[in-house]
Amino acid sequence: MQEKPQAKYLKDYQPPSHTVSHLDLSFDLQPTNTKVISIAHYDAISDTTDLRLDGIDLKLLTLKVNGKAHTQYEQSQSHLLLTELPSSFDLEISTEISPSTNTSLEGLYQSAGAYCTQCEAEGFRKITYFLDRPDVLTTYDVKIVADKSIPYLLSNGNKIEDGVTEDGRHYAKWQDPFKKPSYLFALVAGDFDVLKDEFITQSGRAVELALFVDKGNLDKAPHAVESLKRAMAWDESRFNLEYDLDIYMIVAVDFFNMGAMENKGLNVFNSACVLANQQTATDRDYHTIESIVGHEYFHNWTGNRVTCRDWFQLSLKEGLTVFRDQEFSSDLGSRGLNRIDAVMAMRAHQFTEDAGPMAHSIRPQKVIEMNNFYTVTVYNKGAEVIRMMHSLLGEQGFQKGMKLYVDRHDGQAVTCDDFVNAMQDASGVELTQFKRWYEQVGTPTIEVVTSFDPTKQTFIIELTQHRATNDPVVEPLHIPFALELLGPDGEILPLICDSREVSKILNVTNEHHQFVFEGFEQEPVPVLLEDFSAPCIIQYNYKLEQLIHIIQYASSDYARWEAMQQAFSQEVFAEVNKFDGHITHTLNPKLMAVLKQLLTERNGDIALIAELMSLPNFDALSAGFTQVPVNALVKVIKDFKHDIAVSLTDALKTAYVSAKEQGELSHDGVSARALKNTCLYYLAYVADEDIEGWVETQSLSENMTLKLGALKAATAADLSCTGALMENFDAAWRHDLLVMDKWFSLQATIDSNSTIDNLYGLYNHPCFDKSNPNRVRALVGSFARSNPAQFHREDGAGYKLLGDLLIELNGLNPQNASRMVTPFMSWKKFDKTRQELMKAQLQRLADLTNLSDDLYEKVEKALS
Ligand code: B3K
Ligand code: ZN
């Protein structure tokens, strides 16, 4: 391995040496030699005469202090150290950068010709020398000069001037009245189609909305704009937060490392998270777009107006904003289904991260490459921590806390403690112990033992919290533990302790707690940790009958789904123990009967029934094993699907035929399509003539949810029509790369011994491009994540495919490489043979002479 990159520690935080009162930026855009002039006014905070600025890959042209050339400086790979400075001065720096060769998609780069920026976390230093840290806030004036062939020149804030230059080019000037840290700076220049709209705020101000998309894509823009208007209205009604500028712009670009970025007044989005119409996008895509548009919009208050003091506090804005976008989706759609999504992400990804070498607290203590910490832990567990505070304070207390937080800290860069303090001060709820969640590492376990005393008619619940082995927190956590008790007829029983009815949120603050509930003639069925009220693992020996009781009667949709998942998992675990490679595994008939009943009665939310019918996936099930039994797990899951298909063929067929999808985006339409697809997916395993015909007919649908549902069913069950359907799709959609991503994903998830060769071949498909993160994720990401049988092949060919790709991505796009390495991080969870094979791929990376900091941090942790 090369020289070790340096880690930064939260405990070493120091305030900046200078404040910046204003920044003037000017850009002369050229593909390989863009000139950037930055003029800033600096004031020293202490009596220092030095200023150390961040800067990477910059060619320094000139440097002036108070208008005069300054020669007292040293340049290094990552910094510019200025010495012998006065305490207050203007600094003018001109530098040159090359956007067209910047494949890292960080800083200023070109996406299919358009110029755009990505500065969070530390990309601004690839644009100019600056104090590139979130606690240096200032106002910006930006001038952009470019050829007239690039009509739109955009930056943050309001446009104050435009015109032509003497040499026949043109320019625009933008002014952002709000102070911001450099990570929220944005510039976009390109030729787009624009969808314009307007939003009138609650105080009556008109805000211009503009969505910029690639030419020819206007028909896919309305859903994002409608989502934005819904988000703006929701933030006013639920949080009383109103938008502050006169214009809100969103630009969709094809080359982007993540979903989107909340730059002040000028969001930049991955086009995959914007563009949708019924022919090209699934119902799931529609939902994702609405939630990401909301998320970026909500950052305007939680992230932009109040930002982070340092990057260790990232969850301050991300955990809170994920919580807000989850609430937005839940208020507008189904709360139960949204909760199910959130918990699935926690179980399948966050618990896995916690169990691996990258485990960290929601406020990490040590970081080498900040981009590595935009994780499910910081985001999703961070949101669960905010949700726990919401449970403890209630909606009213929480809103009071939010108001105090914003009033106290508007325009500031603050810490997670500042947020919790505001919540505590506004509500009067003591949160000192609760703060331990910010230090806590790993997934806590709660062991539950219950006992029923028929003579005293009491039901006793004993809870013991166990922390993960790598958890530095030595004292117990404050856990809001939600509980529901169900009576024999499914009725919800009151929780009576010492003759008084108590709240369903139990405050668990000690290592060990005993709760004695009174007044039961028969033993109740406990719904434990209802709604996943804390990000913990519950250990409790549920009997199948109890789970079935919960599936039938629990008051929350989430709890019913959770019980179903538990029941499925228990059955899978039991069968995995019997695995010998030859027996055919079948689902417990009692559980099969429940599925049949759900399917036949179709009571309540149809979309929920589709969820209830779905087996937990490989990742979610893997989390339950210390060593993942790959072959057994793959076989049992497949056998169960087959068994459900064969045992319930008639009920599945009836449900399939009677699910009528009315209305493009109505909840009923979405639900009907979800159930139809679930039924067809199972039925494909039976594959009689009817069903092959249904798959083929559905694949011709003009609706992408249905079309893709048909192809998924065909590829999963390996129907004879699969090849032809895939060819038709390819021929029909080559003009739309986002749609082709769905096809690449399908190719990657086919469980066939020829898949790996096929994937190497697809690198040459005219639509494939390794420098585009969407394509890479669609093809190789889907393979590693969703094709366990082939990825974990015992000859190591799956691991080699990923290893080969990572070596290329390391040079091309370190951030993408680092995200794609995730499947290797859990190598210790597999058997010896697979461990050795995965480790060998990690070692190939470790041996690279140009290993990026991004990969270094993960590879080093994985191997140590
Ligand atoms: N804040 C951005 C993510 C930036 C990621 C930098 N590697 C998007 C979001 O969370 O809203
Ligand atoms: Zn965010």
Side-chain angles (χ1 to χ4, degrees), residues 807-823:
I807 289 171
E808 275 186 78
L809 287 183
N810 173 57
L812 205 57
N813 184 338
Q815 265 188 63
N816 197 25
S818 182
R819 196 178 16 221
M820 294 288 297
V821 82
T822 306

Side-chain angles (χ1 to χ4, degrees), residues 262 295-296 299 317-318 321 379:
E262 71 263 24
H295 180 99
E296 305 313 327
H299 268 314
K317 74 177 178 82
E318 295 304 347
T321 306
Y379 274 62

Side-chain angles (χ1 to χ4, degrees), residues 106 118-121 183 257-262 292 295-296 299 314 317-318 321-322 370-372 374 379 815:
E106 188 182 49
Q118 173 53 37
C119 293
E120 188 177 0
Y183 83 87
N257 270 335
M258 58 262 177
M261 177 63 211
E262 71 263 24
I292 297 184
H295 180 99
E296 305 313 327
H299 268 314
L314 180 62
K317 74 177 178 82
E318 295 304 347
T321 306
V322 170
M370 190 53 215
N371 285 324
N372 282 337
Y374 288 75
Y379 274 62
Q815 265 188 63

Side-chain angles (χ1 to χ4, degrees), residues 73-198:
Y73 67 84
E74 280 168 35
Q75 246 181 310
S76 72
Q77 286 252 315
S78 54
H79 291 94
L80 178 66
L81 177 65
L82 302 160
T83 52
E84 297 177 42
L85 292 165
S87 61
S88 174
F89 57 94
D90 286 327
L91 176 63
E92 181 182 322
I93 304 176
S94 62
T95 45
E96 196 181 278
I97 49 179
S98 170
S100 69
T101 52
N102 178 0
T103 58
S104 69
L105 312 188
E106 188 182 49
L108 177 67
Y109 65 94
Q110 283 190 296
S111 166
Y115 291 88
C116 65
T117 54
Q118 173 53 37
C119 293
E120 188 177 0
E122 298 177 331
F124 192 74
R125 63 190 63 187
K126 290 183 159 186
I127 294 174
T128 185
Y129 285 108
F130 195 64
L131 289 172
D132 186 14
R133 43 187 288 168
D135 57 353
V136 173
L137 290 87
T138 190
T139 49
Y140 286 60
D141 269 38
V142 178
K143 180 179 178 186
I144 308 165
V145 182
D147 290 345
K148 283 184 177 162
S149 59
I150 304 173
Y152 290 100
L153 309 177
L154 314 172
S155 191
N156 319 83
N158 302 308
K159 185 149 100 172
I160 50 167
E161 192 183 315
D162 54 22
V164 285
T165 59
E166 279 172 5
D167 57 355
R169 305 174 82 210
H170 71 152
Y171 72 90
K173 284 188 180 174
W174 291 82
Q175 194 166 61
D176 185 354
F178 292 97
K179 285 186 165 198
K180 65 169 174 285
S182 50
Y183 83 87
L184 290 173
F185 165 77
L187 175 156
V188 175
D191 191 5
F192 303 104
D193 277 340
V194 195
L195 180 61
K196 290 206 170 165
D197 209 323
E198 186 181 70

Side-chain angles (χ1 to χ4, degrees), residues 448-467:
V448 184
V449 179
T450 59
S451 52
F452 175 61
D453 185 334
T455 34
K456 291 190 190 144
Q457 301 200 328
T458 56
F459 186 64
I460 300 174
I461 300 189
E462 288 176 69
L463 302 174
T464 309
Q465 47 169 312
H466 302 284
R467 286 173 305 284

Side-chain angles (χ1 to χ4, degrees), residues 370-425:
M370 190 53 215
N371 285 324
N372 282 337
F373 287 84
Y374 288 75
T375 57
V376 270
T377 299
V378 167
Y379 274 62
N380 301 59
K381 183 173 178 182
E384 293 302 324
V385 169
I386 302 287
R387 185 170 296 282
M388 287 192 281
M389 276 187 264
H390 186 271
S391 303
L392 294 171
L393 272 59
E395 169 70 4
Q396 246 194 346
F398 188 83
Q399 290 299 345
K400 274 200 204 155
M402 278 296 293
K403 184 170 181 327
L404 183 61
Y405 170 65
V406 168
D407 288 349
R408 262 187 197 168
H409 300 298
D410 189 9
Q412 298 177 1
V414 302
T415 64
C416 299
D417 286 331
D418 292 320
F419 179 82
V420 182
N421 291 343
M423 284 289 152
Q424 173 169 291
D425 295 349

Side-chain angles (χ1 to χ4, degrees), residues 498-782:
D498 295 328
S499 314
R500 279 199 4 248
E501 184 162 355
V502 296
S503 145
K504 70 190 297 181
I505 308 276
L506 309 178
N507 273 293
V508 175
T509 49
N510 299 333
E511 198 79 52
H512 189 80
H513 268 272
Q514 193 188 59
F515 297 90
V516 182
F517 298 103
E518 307 151 359
F520 306 99
E521 280 169 23
Q522 287 183 48
E523 180 166 359
V525 175
V527 181
L528 301 167
L529 202 73
E530 196 202 25
D531 272 336
F532 197 67
S533 64
C536 299
I537 294 169
I538 294 292
Q539 279 177 353
Y540 180 65
N541 288 330
Y542 269 119
K543 293 189 208 80
L544 184 58
E545 287 67 26
Q546 289 177 302
L547 291 171
I548 291 174
H549 199 71
I550 297 173
I551 296 166
Q552 282 165 333
Y553 300 115
S555 64
S556 108
D557 286 347
Y558 167 80
R560 298 177 60 205
W561 170 82
E562 166 67 21
M564 186 60 125
Q565 293 284 299
Q566 288 254 2
F568 274 138
S569 304
Q570 288 184 5
E571 296 307 313
V572 170
F573 296 153
E575 290 303 305
V576 160
N577 285 334
K578 297 184 202 154
F579 173 79
D580 66 0
H582 304 292
I583 50 169
T584 302
H585 303 274
T586 54
L587 191 65
N588 187 312
K590 286 184 192 155
L591 198 51
M592 191 68 88
V594 175
L595 291 179
K596 184 169 184 182
Q597 190 188 2
L598 285 168
L599 202 54
T600 322
E601 292 177 0
R602 294 197 295 286
N603 279 331
D605 189 350
I606 298 290
L608 179 70
I609 294 172
E611 289 292 348
L612 289 171
M613 298 282 306
S614 305
L615 288 166
N617 64 23
F618 185 88
D619 280 348
L621 290 164
S622 298
F625 294 92
T626 16
Q627 192 183 89
V628 184
V630 178
N631 302 353
L633 208 46
V634 169
K635 172 89 162 63
V636 172
I637 295 174
K638 204 166 192 160
D639 282 359
F640 275 9
K641 286 179 184 168
H642 196 267
D643 188 27
I644 293 171
V646 172
S647 312
L648 304 180
T649 309
D650 291 341
L652 286 164
K653 281 187 170 179
T654 312
Y656 178 81
V657 175
S658 57
K660 295 273 177 283
E661 62 283 1
Q662 323 107 342
E664 291 193 343
L665 282 176
S666 68
H667 183 71
D668 287 351
V670 172
S671 307
R673 285 190 285 278
L675 186 62
K676 242 186 152 66
N677 281 345
T678 304
C679 293
L680 194 64
Y681 183 87
Y682 281 121
L683 286 170
Y685 285 90
V686 178
D688 61 25
E689 237 167 68
D690 266 4
I691 294 161
E692 287 246 9
W694 290 356
V695 169
E696 285 179 67
T697 310
Q698 192 177 312
S699 79
L700 299 173
S701 168
E702 290 283 302
N703 176 287
M704 184 49 80
T705 306
L706 293 172
K707 187 189 276 296
L708 198 65
L711 267 85
K712 271 192 183 151
T715 47
D718 195 18
L719 297 186
S720 55
C721 59
T722 307
L725 297 187
M726 291 297 275
E727 271 172 38
N728 293 345
F729 193 104
D730 181 19
W733 288 104
R734 285 197 181 189
H735 61 282
D736 191 325
L737 299 179
L738 292 175
V739 176
M740 285 305 288
D741 283 342
K742 300 181 191 309
W743 184 83
F744 284 126
S745 284
L746 283 170
Q747 292 282 6
T749 45
I750 294 174
D751 179 7
S752 146
N753 286 338
S754 58
T755 293
I756 290 175
D757 288 341
N758 186 31
L759 294 190
Y760 279 111
L762 284 171
Y763 287 160
N764 298 319
H765 189 284
C767 295
F768 194 77
D769 176 356
K770 275 187 195 143
S771 65
N772 186 299
N774 290 354
R775 296 305 92 73
V776 170
R777 251 173 275 155
L779 194 67
V780 188
S782 308

